Amino acid sequence: PRSTLFPYTTLFRSDVVVNTPADVDIHFNNLLGGNIGVANTGSGKVNATYNYWGCFFGPNSNKCSSVSGPGVTFVPFSPIPLL
């Protein structure tokens, strides 16, 4: 089964931590914490495409939120904040 979390949300100083064997979708969010934007600590896959990661160049770039853990897809991402 697939789960969808946080559609159309702006998250400040918060991390999304996924710990499940299920596949999870996280789309259309502003991940502005500047730390870990999405962490996968489970065995499922995380589809984190179409999110804004706090800067133009996407996750894991300087001053952007990052991705942690296996199985996290983040391309394509939004280079600008989502309304």
Side-chain angles (χ1 to χ4, degrees):
R2 290 191 84 74
S3 300
T4 301
L5 301 176
F6 309 115
Y8 302 100
T9 303
T10 297
L11 302 171
F12 294 96
R13 296 189 193 111
S14 297
D15 301 338
V16 176
V17 178
V18 178
N19 185 0
T20 180
D23 292 344
V24 177
D25 292 330
I26 304 169
H27 303 296
F28 306 108
N29 299 288
N30 292 313
L31 304 171
L32 303 177
N35 212 346
I36 298 172
V38 175
N40 185 14
T41 61
S43 59
K45 294 180 182 175
V46 179
N47 183 341
T49 56
Y50 304 107
N51 292 299
Y52 175 66
W53 297 81
C55 72
F56 182 83
F57 298 105
N60 302 327
S61 298
N62 190 26
K63 298 186 181 178
C64 286
S65 293
S66 65
V67 172
S68 175
V72 179
T73 302
F74 56 84
V75 174
F77 58 86
S78 176
I80 59 173
L82 301 162
L83 300 176

